[in-house]
């Protein structure tokens, strides 16, 4: 299942859980805040979180890489925990 809700001016934090049927999630260009939840480590998950206001610390920054625009994204096919 695909969920595209990018560029919708959404506010708030991401849920600590998500449906296992969601395999492609685009939440880019919103106003989301807080920590990156652990479900972003799903091995078959494609996720776009660019242009939000997440808090990065040592527990969640290693899940992310920088894309060509300097925004944070989850690498496709990432298996890093």
């Amino acid at each position: 299942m695909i969920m595209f809700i990018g560029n919708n001016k959404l506010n708030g934090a991401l849920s600590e859980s998500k449906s296992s049927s969601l395999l492609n999630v685009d939440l880019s260009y919103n106003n989301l805040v807080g920590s990156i939840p652990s479900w972003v480590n799903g091995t078959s998950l494609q996720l776009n979180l660019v242009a939000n206001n997440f808090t990065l610390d040592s527990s969640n920054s290693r899940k992310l890489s920088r894309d060509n625009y300097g925004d944070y994204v989850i690498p496709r096919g990432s298996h890093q925990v």
Side-chain angles (χ1 to χ4, degrees):
M1 184 183 309
I2 297 172
M3 180 174 73
F4 178 80
I5 51 175
N7 203 21
N8 280 291
K9 299 180 183 177
L10 299 177
N11 294 302
L14 292 178
S15 171
E16 289 299 319
S17 62
K18 73 158 192 66
S19 170
S20 60
S21 65
L22 281 174
L23 300 178
N24 190 326
V25 179
D26 189 323
L27 297 166
S28 60
Y29 298 95
N30 284 294
N31 297 311
L32 300 173
V33 297
S35 294
I36 306 292
S38 61
W39 57 259
V40 303
N41 290 319
T43 57
S44 60
L45 178 65
Q46 292 185 7
L47 181 63
N48 185 351
L49 298 175
V50 300
N52 282 287
N53 297 305
F54 293 106
T55 302
L56 296 178
D57 58 34
S58 61
S59 68
N60 62 22
S61 64
R62 66 183 174 181
K63 301 171 192 169
L64 305 173
S65 68
R66 285 196 178 259
D67 70 5
N68 293 333
Y69 305 101
D71 289 316
Y72 286 99
V73 296
I74 305 299
R76 290 181 186 221
S78 174
H79 301 288
Q80 186 176 8
V81 176

